Amino acid sequence: MPHFFDHLVDEFNLPLQNPVLVFSLILFIILISPILLRRFNIPGIIVLIISGVVVGPNGLNLLARNSAVDLFSTIGLLYIMFIAGLELDMAEFKANRNKSLVFGFLTFILPLGVGYPVCYYLLGYDFNASFLTASMFATHTLVAYPIVSRLGIANNQAVAVTVGGTILTDTAVLILLAVITGAKNGGLTQSFWITLGISLLIFSAIMFFLIPRIAEWFFRKLEGEKHSHYIFVLSVVFFAAFLAEVAGVEPIIGAFVAGLALNSLIPHSSALMNRIEFIGNALFIPFFLISVGMLVDVSVIFKGPMALIIAGALTVVAIFGKWLAAFTTQLIFKYSTAQRQLIFGLSSAHAAATLAVILVGYNADILDENILNGTIILILITCVVSSFATEKAAKQIVLLSENELLREATPGGDTEHILLPIANINNFEKLLDFSILIKDRKSRNPISILSVVPNDEEAELNIIKAKNSMATFVNHASAAETNVQFIATIDHNVASGIARTSIEVMSDIIILGWPRRAGVIDRIFGEKIYSIIESADKTAFVCDFLQPLAIHKRMLIAAPPLSERENGFELWFIKMVKLSQELSIPIIYFCNPTTEWAVRTLLKRWQMNIPLEFVTFTNWADFSALSDTVRVDDLFVFASARKGSVSHLAILDNLPFKMQRYFGNISKVLIYPHQNGLRSGKGFKPISAGPMNVGNSTVSKLRESFNKLFSRKSGDRNP
């Protein structure tokens, strides 16, 4: 028994050494500290940093900065930079790349210009020390980015500009660090510049040309291995960080570039994206924030007036320099006050890159202990200021931004309801992914998966089988945090069951699988899909995805004349724009000038920045000519119409089979927009139950044809 107590006491010697106990303590901190201080409206980021101060070697000494803590801290930092690159709206970034360049220049040169005189003249340091410390002011770490991501404003222009500026200024500072240390060691030679340039060129070629092709091949060949996708992505992140270090820059640059390289292959609403964000925000990023707090030594402010003066001067200069850059950016681009505060909040936190610069300078004997201690205090204060400023500005933008008001005005909104009938379970997952990507995130309704089973003696057994087969797909949707409900209904006729259920659940959209090749009987009596489309006034998407959605490179939309006059035009166009944004692919729109003007008007009203190109096309009698411009990795979208609608063209009847002939190896979507009148009682034609899969209207037409035929013959015999 004494041996047991001695062993127990040894386990709790400070700092804790047992890795299981250390990991447990950190998990408890991540779990409990935000909950305890949430009532005080303190951002969770600050709570985690302060927790690190308390339990760290300069606080209660419960934890030491050992190799395990350093490893998880590094993973968390790389994760922050990777998610920033992954969530970056590439269309918004490309549209505002000049603004990012301007902000990157301002947030680099202004803190540097303010900091150098302070260090050189006020604090009395030499040129190398003053210049290196001033360059530290130019860096910033996206510590507060999880706040922006959580509040759903990562696609705001101010965020895109700040993230773009971050990578530019941090890259410039870290390259500058390599130059200063090279000059200190006497190694700033011609070979140094050549080596640095070639290594960065090779790194860029690998990340932007080789990695995306490998990732595309991997996602296509192992489409069903969902867990392997996450492991592959994580491997790319750390491999990119290693390559960046080999190239002569910091690993955080590699992680950000990895996010950019995989951006178009990981849709923002996908299950894979949800897994990446969940694990990062739940584990790795909090580890990093706690480790930042463990670096802080509050006692340095009591080591004499010089330490306090240096810490205060560094902190004031760091905050003022970033505020000045944000203010100047606001004046140049006429941003709102909330956007300026958001830019300042995101760019004012100093952590990873700052610490890298100072530690390298300290180890090279360029900087002294006062600068090191002052920087630690600076990290704590700027992270606190950054978190509060970002949280306040982000909430203002969520409530007041024009983008939010526009999203509320779009069709569907919080009442949108998508109905997804299941026909072929082998290709169903792609249809479910499509539904998840186009679903309005504000909608309170789940995606309804419908199975229509025959009304016979085995109906109950068939319902049970259908529910069991749906379990996998419900879990798949849950991984993307999308609500799904399963509906099983009994009907003699599948088309009738789908049309009836769409009315019962008040769905806005029906997503259908592509009709397979028709046999003789089907051609006589009609396809089920036409019965569904003609019997319900819903916007219908008929989809044929031949490869994973993320693999597509372009979206080609063909819209006949007057398609903009259909009632459901805005709804389906919004969904295609959303899909384009999720997949980060451009849209090429084939239409006449009138439709082009209508689309441009909508885009201007919604203030959407998407890569969109218009091509004038008028030969709809020979729309197969479009096949010459379509590539295998394109997504071809055709806006058709129901009979009797304003944009219906008789030459486009039987369109699915015509498209299959000319675009058989291309992923395609056929759209039938919403049309008023079918459900009001005047035009709605419910399909009667029967042993055969035949619509009532089709039988009537056949009966009329036979009656006319026989009456004509009878008339010939009896003039």
Side-chain angles (χ1 to χ4, degrees):
M1 186 65 70
H3 176 72
F4 170 77
F5 284 109
D6 291 340
H7 176 70
L8 188 63
V9 171
D10 290 339
E11 289 292 335
F12 285 93
N13 284 335
L14 301 182
L16 301 175
Q17 299 297 325
N18 189 310
V20 177
L21 189 58
V22 169
F23 194 74
S24 300
L25 177 60
I26 293 178
L27 290 180
F28 276 118
I29 293 172
I30 295 172
L31 172 65
I32 296 174
S33 54
I35 296 175
L36 293 178
L37 296 179
R38 186 178 300 163
R39 64 180 63 185
F40 301 106
N41 293 324
I42 300 177
I45 290 174
I46 297 177
V47 174
L48 292 170
I49 293 175
I50 294 176
S51 299
V53 176
V54 174
V55 303
N58 301 310
L60 299 178
N61 196 30
L62 297 178
L63 299 176
R65 281 192 64 90
N66 52 31
S67 58
V69 173
D70 288 339
L71 174 63
F72 276 93
S73 172
T74 302
I75 294 173
L77 174 59
L78 297 179
Y79 230 99
I80 289 178
M81 298 303 296
F82 171 65
I83 290 178
L86 199 60
E87 289 190 337
L88 188 63
D89 188 333
M90 294 305 295
E92 190 76 26
F93 178 72
K94 291 176 181 177
N96 299 286
R97 57 181 177 272
N98 294 331
K99 295 181 180 179
S100 292
L101 286 171
V102 171
F103 172 70
F105 174 77
L106 292 174
T107 199
F108 174 78
I109 201 67
L110 291 179
L112 186 67
V114 173
Y116 178 79
V118 171
C119 294
Y120 189 79
Y121 295 106
L122 181 62
L123 302 180
Y125 286 99
D126 61 17
F127 174 80
N128 283 340
S130 298
F131 196 75
L132 187 59
T133 306
S135 68
M136 172 268 292
F137 296 136
T139 66
H140 55 261
T141 303
L142 296 174
V143 169
Y145 187 83
I147 296 175
V148 168
S149 180
R150 172 171 52 84
L151 293 177
I153 60 169
N155 60 346
N156 188 276
Q157 186 180 114
V159 177
V161 168
T162 307
V163 172
T166 297
I167 196 63
L168 294 172
T169 187
D170 279 6
T171 302
V173 169
L174 295 173
I175 292 176
L176 188 62
L177 173 63
V179 172
I180 292 175
T181 54
K184 176 72 175 179
N185 299 328
L188 206 59
T189 61
Q190 184 178 1
S191 63
F192 167 82
W193 293 105
I194 294 175
T195 302
L196 182 63
I198 293 176
S199 60
L200 289 177
L201 188 63
I202 295 174
F203 168 72
S204 300
I206 292 174
M207 292 308 302
F208 289 112
F209 292 99
L210 184 60
I211 292 298
R213 286 165 173 75
I214 294 175
E216 182 178 323
W217 174 87
F218 185 88
F219 290 150
R220 182 187 291 113
K221 294 298 182 181
L222 298 176
E223 183 181 356
E225 302 292 333
K226 302 303 180 183
H227 296 89
S228 299
H229 293 180
Y230 178 77
I231 300 300
F232 172 80
V233 168
L234 209 59
S235 302
V236 170
V237 174
F238 290 104
F239 178 68
F242 169 74
L243 285 181
E245 194 171 15
V246 171
V249 294
E250 286 296 308
I252 57 175
I253 304 299
F256 182 82
V257 171
L260 295 179
L262 298 177
N263 186 289
S264 62
L265 296 174
I266 305 178
H268 296 172
S269 298
S270 64
L272 178 57
M273 185 67 173
N274 184 60
R275 292 188 182 101
I276 292 171
E277 290 183 330
F278 175 79
I279 297 177
N281 293 328
L283 187 62
F284 294 132
I285 294 176
F287 247 105
F288 164 70
L289 297 172
I290 292 172
S291 69
V292 170
M294 293 172 66
L295 291 172
V296 176
D297 185 2
V298 182
S299 65
V300 299
I301 62 177
F302 303 110
K303 291 184 178 180
M306 193 60 188
L308 190 59
I309 290 172
I310 291 177
L314 295 182
T315 303
V316 170
V317 170
I319 293 176
F320 176 73
K322 291 300 181 182
W323 182 88
L324 185 61
F327 179 72
T328 307
T329 303
Q330 178 195 14
L331 293 180
I332 294 174
F333 301 121
K334 296 180 173 57
Y335 286 144
S336 66
T337 303
Q339 286 179 305
R340 181 202 68 206
Q341 187 173 354
L342 183 62
I343 293 173
F344 166 69
L346 285 173
S347 63
S348 59
H350 291 67
T354 301
L355 197 59
V357 170
I358 296 302
L359 286 177
V360 170
Y362 179 75
N363 294 330
D365 293 327
I366 299 175
L367 305 176
D368 61 16
E369 187 177 9
N370 285 330
I371 292 289
L372 178 62
N373 291 333
T375 302
I376 300 300
I377 298 299
L378 176 150
I379 289 174
L380 175 62
I381 296 176
T382 57
C383 286
V384 171
V385 171
S386 171
S387 300
F388 275 112
T390 303
E391 181 111 2
K392 181 180 179 182
K395 288 181 178 178
Q396 289 178 352
I397 289 176
V398 166
L399 294 174
L400 303 174
S401 71
E402 292 181 355
N403 289 339
E404 180 68 14
L405 294 175
L406 287 168
R407 281 197 297 271
E408 291 179 358
T410 55
D414 57 359
T415 62
E416 177 185 275
H417 199 162
I418 296 177
L419 182 65
L420 181 56
I422 179 171
N424 182 5
I425 198 170
N426 295 325
N427 201 37
F428 186 73
E429 186 173 307
K430 292 188 179 72
L431 295 178
L432 181 57
D433 286 335
F434 175 75
S435 305
I436 292 172
L437 293 181
I438 69 170
K439 184 179 185 293
D440 195 314
R441 295 184 181 180
K442 291 166 52 190
S443 174
R444 299 188 300 266
N445 295 319
I447 295 175
S448 295
I449 300 177
L450 172 65
S451 177
V452 181
V453 300
N455 187 7
D456 52 27
E457 63 275 4
E458 296 183 353
E460 294 185 5
L461 180 60
N462 290 332
I463 289 178
I464 295 174
K465 289 181 179 179
K467 288 183 176 180
N468 292 337
S469 65
M470 282 295 98
T472 302
F473 300 113
V474 172
N475 293 335
H476 177 72
S478 299
E481 293 190 349
T482 301
N483 292 329
V484 170
Q485 71 174 355
F486 178 72
I487 302 174
T489 187
I490 300 174
D491 204 299
H492 287 292
N493 187 286
V494 174
S496 176
I498 294 173
R500 174 173 48 80
T501 305
S502 71
I503 298 174
E504 292 174 352
V505 302
M506 294 188 293
S507 64
D508 307 284
I509 296 170
I510 301 177
I511 296 176
L512 302 165
W514 196 264
R516 298 300 107 191
R517 187 173 181 84
V520 177
I521 300 299
D522 288 326
R523 290 183 179 181
I524 293 176
F525 292 108
E527 282 284 333
K528 300 174 188 176
I529 191 168
Y530 292 113
S531 300
I532 299 169
I533 291 170
E534 292 175 2
S535 301
D537 64 342
K538 317 295 184 179
T539 296
F541 294 86
V542 187
C543 308
D544 183 26
F545 301 118
L546 302 182
Q547 56 187 343
L549 286 167
I551 303 300
H552 297 96
K553 295 294 190 297
R554 302 184 305 173
M555 181 188 299
L556 278 63
I557 300 179
L562 301 178
S563 60
E564 72 278 4
R565 299 291 185 91
E566 297 289 349
N567 292 320
F569 170 70
E570 291 192 15
L571 175 60
W572 73 255
F573 185 70
I574 285 175
K575 294 307 179 185
M576 291 301 98
V577 169
K578 188 175 189 305
L579 182 64
S580 167
Q581 292 173 331
E582 289 283 352
L583 302 179
S584 298
I585 57 177
I587 295 177
I588 301 176
Y589 206 110
F590 295 89
C591 60
N592 63 18
T594 304
T595 304
E596 177 182 344
W597 179 85
V599 172
R600 290 189 183 277
T601 302
L602 287 178
L603 292 175
K604 184 178 180 180
R605 193 176 79 207
W606 296 331
Q607 296 184 358
M608 289 182 174
N609 285 321
I610 59 170
L612 178 60
E613 175 187 350
F614 288 94
V615 177
T616 301
F617 186 83
T618 56
N619 187 18
W620 297 104
D622 186 23
F623 81 97
S624 60
L626 293 173
S627 61
D628 297 334
T629 60
V630 180
R631 300 196 295 251
V632 175
D633 54 4
D634 287 338
L635 176 60
F636 183 59
V637 179
F638 198 101
S640 186
R642 294 173 172 86
K643 292 182 179 180
S645 62
V646 65
S647 64
H648 176 257
L649 296 176
I651 57 176
L652 298 180
D653 286 344
N654 204 24
L655 191 56
F657 301 109
K658 293 179 180 178
M659 290 182 67
Q660 190 67 28
R661 181 189 308 167
Y662 298 109
F663 307 95
N665 61 337
I666 306 296
S667 294
K668 45 197 169 291
V669 177
L670 182 59
I671 301 174
Y672 290 89
H674 161 74
Q675 183 180 352
N676 287 336
L678 288 178
R679 200 175 61 188
S680 62
K682 295 181 180 180
F684 177 60
K685 303 171 184 176
I687 306 168
S688 63
M692 296 181 65
N693 189 16
V694 182
N696 229 14
S697 59
T698 307
V699 174
S700 299
K701 292 177 181 178
L702 287 172
R703 186 181 297 114
E704 291 176 4
S705 299
F706 280 114
N707 289 338
K708 290 181 180 178
L709 178 64
F710 287 114
S711 63
R712 186 181 302 116
K713 290 182 178 180
S714 176
D716 290 339
R717 287 192 301 266
N718 301 296

